[in-house]
């Protein structure tokens, strides 16, 4: 078996590919044709479930309420147009990738900025959960026998998407481009085909068209709330619009122009698909109920076909190739819609980490030049949500879009303040003033509409589960503020000032010795080679017999440094050493103390439970003693060959007299001492 096959890094290389150097980062930037499937898959896929949610809510009031569908759909389209135009202005003004967070923080203050960031992070997690759940729902519509494995399928798809994204933005764009464009093309063909059939007098008929509905008795106020609730569910078509603004740094130059073009193209396609699919649903008579048992004549023991499945079946025929193409493309793009979050979440996390509101690890790029820690964190959170809610789309959709409209609203309000400040500035040129007036008009309309929609969404979805989001956002914002305070306090604590003094007057090395073995000799060798002012070996005596035996071996092997025995009647190790250091400093002054500890390096995970426990424990305790530094001296056991592909010591019989000892893959000098000293 070769070293490569034993290398655990091999699996990582197979899954993720070879590492990329920092110089290759420019090659990972995206042209528009690849940026569209990466950043627009969420917004484009929303058309697969937004019309379904709209129809489902209206059907609660009965079949007559479906007559409100065109009005509600037009309202959603108008809102989508305004939001796309508003974000086009935002990209131009703030191209750094902070999006709504940066706009709110710079124009409204720290707390609104953190609230926006929290809302976006929550929404990204729910984007993954809803997208994957919707994709699985469409798969089950085509293959009902998979329904018992709904959660397992959802979790498996999240893991797969994580792996693909960890391979890098460029490779992810290759993997996701084809399904996205197939979805756009197949749904577009379906809409055109359905409309042509309708024009020719052969309108498609959905499988649920003949089902009646058990309608609820609604008061006038309840009717208004139901229509508003349908509108809020239809507004899920707007999710993902903000991702382009957050992903501007990933575009090729000219970044702003390419991002704006991608945003407009995404919005145009989403509007056409949403309007066309909603129209076909009405033409074919799709009846999709929140409770399948409310459909009179439907066997609610079987999964309810999705709206997309019913329209495709009515247009092309249930067993046709085009039906399965539409279903497969829809399932793929719904699953890949989660990819938008896997680009937006890590980028936003990196911005937050740079600003001090998130752990610094979120700003670390992995082997493939992506913010891998953010991707993994997002995947874990999404899997947890899917498991808790059993990957049920109708439940998860109630939590959705709250966060995105919080960020929409505060971001647009921030843009209004941005343009007003620019207009008040005397240094703004005439051409910039014209642009600022147009931006102020567009973003004012965006702010008004998004705030209104946020109120509608809150009122209509709060009791259906959205209250959980309103708990999650402030909790996350509070934690982010706490992280900011922590980093601020640490920076203040470690900042250098005029009172900093360098008063150390000595240099002593302590080599901790348990038994006289090769790892200890190597640690002694390192300490002697470092040429400290004084080097001593220290043994903490828990058992008297062991201390006496060690002293005898020390003398027999003519070890070149003195051995000091510290008694430990209470069987502790770090405390006697700390007391010895304190006494030494009282006698010799404030010396710098370096403690050398041998430590085994092993190749199997289970070996870590059999070695190194004491060394790590002692090291962690001595780190609390001022003026003490810890040096861990590695000794590679033979099992470490699994990791490093080399033996830690020469094979017996290969070491010749007069040749240097090979230790841990390198030549190691014997400790200084008498010529006949043995290692």
């Amino acid at each position: 078996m070769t070293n490569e096959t034993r290398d655990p890094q091999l699996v990582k290389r197979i899954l993720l590919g070879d590492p990329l150097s920092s110089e290759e980062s420019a090659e990972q930037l995206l042209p528009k044709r690849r940026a569209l499937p990466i950043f627009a898959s969420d917004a484009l896929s929303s058309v697969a479930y937004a019309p379904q949610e709209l129809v489902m809510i209206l059907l609660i009031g009965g079949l007559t309420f479906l007559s409100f569908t065109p009005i509600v759909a037009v309202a959603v389209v108008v809102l989508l147009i305004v939001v796309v135009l508003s974000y086009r202005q935002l990209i131009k003004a703030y191209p750094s990738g902070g999006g709504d967070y940066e706009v709110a923080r710079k124009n409204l203050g720290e707390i609104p900025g953190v609230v926006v960031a929290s809302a976006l992070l929550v929404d990204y997690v729910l984007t993954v959960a809803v997208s994957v759940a919707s994709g699985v729902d469409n798969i089950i519509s085509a293959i009902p026998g998979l329904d018992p494995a709904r959660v397992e399928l959802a979790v498996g798809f999240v893991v797969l998407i994580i792996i693909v994204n960890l391979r890098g933005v460029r490779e992810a764009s290759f993997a996701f481009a084809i399904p996205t464009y197939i979805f756009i093309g197949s749904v577009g063909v379906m809409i055109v085909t359905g409309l042509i059939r309708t024009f020719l007098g052969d309108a498609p008929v959905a499988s649920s068209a003949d089902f009646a509905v058990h309608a609820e008795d609604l008061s006038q106020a309840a009717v208004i709330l139901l229509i508003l609730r349908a509108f809020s569910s239809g507004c899920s078509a707007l999710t993902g619009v903000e991702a382009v603004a957050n992903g501007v740094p990933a575009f090729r130059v000219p970044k702003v122009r390419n991002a704006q073009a991608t945003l407009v193209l995404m919005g145009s396609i989403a509007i056409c698909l949403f309007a066309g699919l909603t129209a076909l649903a009405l033409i074919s008579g799709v009846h999709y109920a929140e409770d399948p048992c409310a459909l009179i004549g439907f066997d609610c023991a079987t999964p309810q076909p999705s709206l997309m499945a019913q329209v495709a079946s009515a247009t092309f025929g249930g067993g046709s190739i085009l039906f399965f193409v539409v279903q497969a493309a829809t399932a793929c793009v719904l699953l890949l819609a989660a990819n938008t979050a896997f680009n937006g979440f890590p980028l936003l996390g990196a911005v937050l980490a740079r600003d001090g509101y998130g752990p610094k690890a979120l700003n670390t790029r992995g082997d493939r030049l992506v913010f891998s820690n953010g991707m993994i964190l997002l995947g874990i959170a999404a899997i947890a949500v899917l498991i808790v809610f059993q990957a049920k789309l109708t439940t998860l959709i109630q939590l959705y879009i709250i966060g995105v409209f919080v960020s929409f609203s505060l971001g647009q309000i921030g843009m209004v303040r941005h343009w007003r400040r620019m207009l008040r500035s005397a240094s703004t040129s005439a051409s910039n003033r014209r642009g600022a007036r147009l931006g102020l008009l567009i973003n004012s309309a965006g702010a008004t509409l998004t705030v209104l929609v946020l109120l509608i969404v809150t009122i209509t979805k709060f009791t259906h589960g959205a209250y959980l989001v309103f708990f999650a956002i402030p909790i996350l914002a509070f934690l982010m503020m706490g992280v900011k305070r922590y980093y601020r306090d640490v920076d203040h604590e470690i900042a250098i000032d005029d009172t900093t003094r360098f008063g150390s007057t000595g240099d002593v090395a302590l080599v901790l010795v348990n038994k006289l073995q090769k790892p200890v000799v190597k640690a002694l060798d390192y300490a002697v080679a470092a040429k400290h002012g004084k080097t001593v070996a220290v043994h903490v005596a828990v058992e008297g017999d062991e201390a006496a035996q060690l002293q005898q071996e020390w003398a027999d092997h003519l070890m070149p440094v003195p051995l000091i025995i510290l008694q430990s009647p209470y069987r502790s190790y770090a405390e006697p050493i700390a007391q010895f250091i304190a006494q030494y400093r009282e006698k010799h002054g404030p010396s710098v103390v370096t403690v050398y500890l041998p430590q085994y390096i092993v190749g199997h995970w289970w070996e870590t439970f059999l070695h190194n426990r004491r060394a790590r424990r002692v090291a962690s305790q001595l780190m609390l003693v001022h003026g003490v530094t810890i040096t861990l001296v590695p000794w590679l056991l033979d099992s470490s060959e699994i990791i490093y592909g080399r033996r830690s010591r020469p094979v017996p019989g290969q070491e010749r007299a007069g040749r240097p000892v090979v230790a841990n893959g390198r030549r190691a000098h014997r400790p200084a001492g008498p010529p006949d000293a043995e290692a």
Side-chain angles (χ1 to χ4, degrees):
M1 184 180 290
T2 63
N3 291 333
E4 286 75 16
T5 58
R6 290 193 298 266
D7 189 350
Q9 295 293 318
L10 181 62
V11 176
K12 181 179 178 181
R13 294 290 168 260
I14 292 173
L15 291 176
L16 306 185
D18 294 326
L20 298 174
S21 67
S22 299
E23 288 75 16
E24 296 177 88
S25 58
E27 300 176 9
Q28 300 298 304
L29 297 178
L30 299 171
K32 294 189 290 293
R33 67 181 183 278
R34 292 183 188 155
L36 182 67
I38 285 287
F39 291 105
S41 56
D42 181 20
L44 296 179
S45 68
S46 298
V47 302
Y49 54 80
Q52 174 177 294
E53 294 300 312
L54 191 158
V55 170
M56 181 187 71
I57 299 302
L58 287 176
L59 209 59
I60 294 175
L63 296 178
T64 56
F65 275 73
L66 291 179
S67 60
F68 292 107
T69 302
I71 300 173
V72 176
V74 168
V76 172
V77 169
V78 170
L79 180 62
L80 182 54
I81 293 172
V82 172
V83 169
V84 168
L85 292 176
S86 298
Y87 271 93
R88 194 173 182 276
Q89 299 296 319
L90 189 150
I91 290 172
K92 181 180 179 180
Y94 295 92
S96 64
D100 288 319
Y101 157 71
E102 185 179 5
V103 173
R105 188 173 66 87
K106 290 186 176 180
N107 295 285
L108 303 178
E110 181 182 30
I111 293 178
V114 172
V115 169
V116 167
S118 304
L120 282 172
L121 293 178
V122 170
D123 188 70
Y124 281 136
V125 173
L126 291 174
T127 293
V128 176
V130 170
S131 299
V132 171
S134 183
V136 171
D137 207 38
N138 274 269
I139 292 174
I140 292 172
S141 294
I143 312 175
L146 294 176
D147 189 46
R150 180 185 295 269
V151 177
E152 291 80 1
L153 282 172
V155 172
F157 282 124
V158 173
V159 173
L160 179 62
I161 295 170
I162 293 173
I163 293 173
V164 174
N165 276 280
L166 288 176
R167 292 185 64 89
V169 174
R170 185 180 178 85
E171 292 203 28
S173 68
F174 281 118
F176 298 150
I178 295 176
T180 302
Y181 286 122
I182 289 177
F183 170 77
I184 295 172
S186 62
V187 175
V189 168
M190 181 180 70
I191 292 172
V192 172
T193 302
L195 293 178
I196 291 176
R197 285 184 55 184
T198 302
F199 179 76
L200 296 176
D202 181 27
V205 179
S207 58
S208 60
D210 294 331
F211 295 152
V213 179
H214 288 296
E216 296 182 7
D217 292 329
L218 301 174
S219 62
Q220 186 174 357
V223 169
I224 296 174
L225 285 175
L226 187 67
I227 295 173
L228 292 178
R229 185 183 168 193
F231 172 70
S232 66
S233 293
C235 285
S236 58
L238 277 73
T239 58
V241 174
E242 78 290 346
V244 179
N246 292 334
V248 176
F251 284 83
R252 283 184 181 175
V253 291
K255 294 178 181 292
V256 171
R257 188 183 306 168
N258 287 337
Q260 287 179 324
T262 302
L263 176 66
V264 172
L265 181 60
M266 175 199 71
S268 302
I269 295 173
I271 289 170
C272 292
L273 295 185
F274 174 81
L277 191 57
T278 303
L280 275 188
L282 289 176
I283 292 170
S284 61
V286 172
H287 297 158
Y288 189 92
E290 187 173 28
D291 179 7
C293 295
L295 294 175
I296 301 174
F298 177 72
D299 181 9
C300 55
T302 60
Q304 185 178 194
S306 65
L307 180 144
M308 182 71 78
Q310 293 189 48
V311 171
S313 177
T315 304
F316 299 126
S320 65
I321 294 176
L322 287 177
F323 166 77
F324 286 105
V325 169
V326 171
Q327 284 303 99
T330 302
C332 283
V333 83
L334 284 168
L335 294 171
L336 299 183
N339 186 65
T340 299
F342 276 99
N343 282 272
F345 186 101
L347 288 170
L348 179 58
V351 172
L352 291 171
R354 287 196 295 270
D355 291 344
Y357 294 105
K360 296 184 184 297
L362 293 178
N363 194 31
T364 302
R365 292 186 183 270
D367 288 349
R368 302 290 294 179
L369 296 175
V370 295
F371 297 108
S372 51
N373 291 327
M375 291 180 177
I376 294 171
L377 179 61
L378 171 61
I380 292 173
I383 288 173
V385 171
L386 285 168
I387 292 174
V388 169
F389 292 95
Q390 292 295 290
K392 293 181 179 178
L393 179 62
T394 54
T395 304
L396 288 169
I397 202 75
Q398 304 303 326
L399 309 178
Y400 204 29
I401 79 169
I402 295 289
V404 75
F405 272 99
V406 169
S407 63
F408 279 174
S409 301
L410 291 176
Q412 294 306 306
I413 293 172
M415 285 300 298
V416 170
R417 181 166 291 187
H418 166 80
W419 297 125
R420 292 180 65 183
R421 185 171 61 248
M422 182 177 288
L423 289 172
R424 287 196 301 266
S425 175
S427 60
T428 304
S429 64
S431 60
N432 288 337
R433 285 183 181 277
R434 286 194 296 272
R437 290 190 186 96
L438 177 62
L440 179 61
L441 177 64
I442 294 173
N443 290 122
S444 295
T448 302
L449 290 179
T450 53
V451 169
L452 178 62
V453 174
L454 177 61
L455 293 174
I456 293 172
V457 169
T458 301
I459 294 171
T460 57
K461 287 181 175 285
F462 190 85
T463 58
H464 295 274
Y467 65 90
L468 295 173
V469 177
F470 283 99
F471 281 121
I473 291 175
I475 290 173
L476 186 55
F478 177 79
L479 292 175
M480 291 168 62
M481 294 291 290
V483 171
K484 178 70 172 180
R485 285 194 299 270
Y486 172 79
Y487 281 135
R488 183 186 60 210
D489 293 343
V490 170
D491 288 342
H492 177 74
E493 181 180 346
I494 64 178
I496 193 168
D497 53 35
D498 294 336
T499 63
T500 303
R501 296 289 182 268
F502 301 91
S504 301
T505 58
D507 177 22
V508 60
L510 305 181
V511 182
L512 300 193
V513 179
N514 184 32
K515 295 180 180 179
L516 188 53
Q517 297 171 322
K518 288 182 180 179
V520 170
V521 174
K522 183 183 178 185
L524 285 169
D525 186 30
Y526 276 35
V528 171
K531 297 181 180 179
H532 296 275
K534 185 174 183 179
T535 302
V536 297
V538 175
H539 173 73
V540 178
V542 175
E543 298 289 343
D545 294 341
E546 290 183 359
Q549 182 180 352
L550 177 62
Q551 285 179 312
Q552 184 61 47
E553 291 177 351
W554 205 263
D556 292 343
H557 287 278
L558 302 176
M559 300 308 293
V561 299
L563 174 66
I564 297 175
I565 305 296
L566 302 179
Q567 299 298 324
S568 180
Y570 295 101
R571 299 163 302 284
S572 63
Y573 288 89
E575 186 176 351
I577 299 171
Q579 292 176 354
F580 172 78
I581 293 171
Q583 293 169 1
Y584 184 90
R585 284 174 171 164
E586 288 180 3
K587 184 176 181 180
H588 300 282
S591 302
V592 173
V593 178
T594 303
V595 178
Y596 289 81
L597 294 96
Q599 179 169 315
Y600 293 136
I601 304 299
V602 299
H604 301 101
W605 65 268
W606 50 265
E607 290 180 273
T608 59
F609 297 100
L610 305 178
H611 298 293
N612 299 329
R613 314 302 293 178
R614 183 185 301 167
R616 293 177 180 176
R617 202 162 50 242
V618 171
S620 63
Q621 291 173 314
L622 291 180
M623 284 179 185
L624 300 175
V625 180
H626 290 290
V628 172
T629 60
I630 307 297
T631 299
L632 297 176
V633 182
W635 180 267
L636 278 66
L637 296 177
D638 282 343
S639 65
S640 64
E641 184 182 5
I642 295 174
I643 299 177
Y644 297 99
R646 65 191 183 196
R647 296 185 67 84
S648 63
R649 301 183 291 280
V651 177
Q654 292 183 354
E655 184 178 358
R656 301 175 185 173
R659 296 185 65 179
V661 176
V662 177
N664 295 348
R666 59 175 66 87
R667 293 184 176 184
H669 299 285
R670 297 182 186 275
D676 58 346
E678 298 181 11

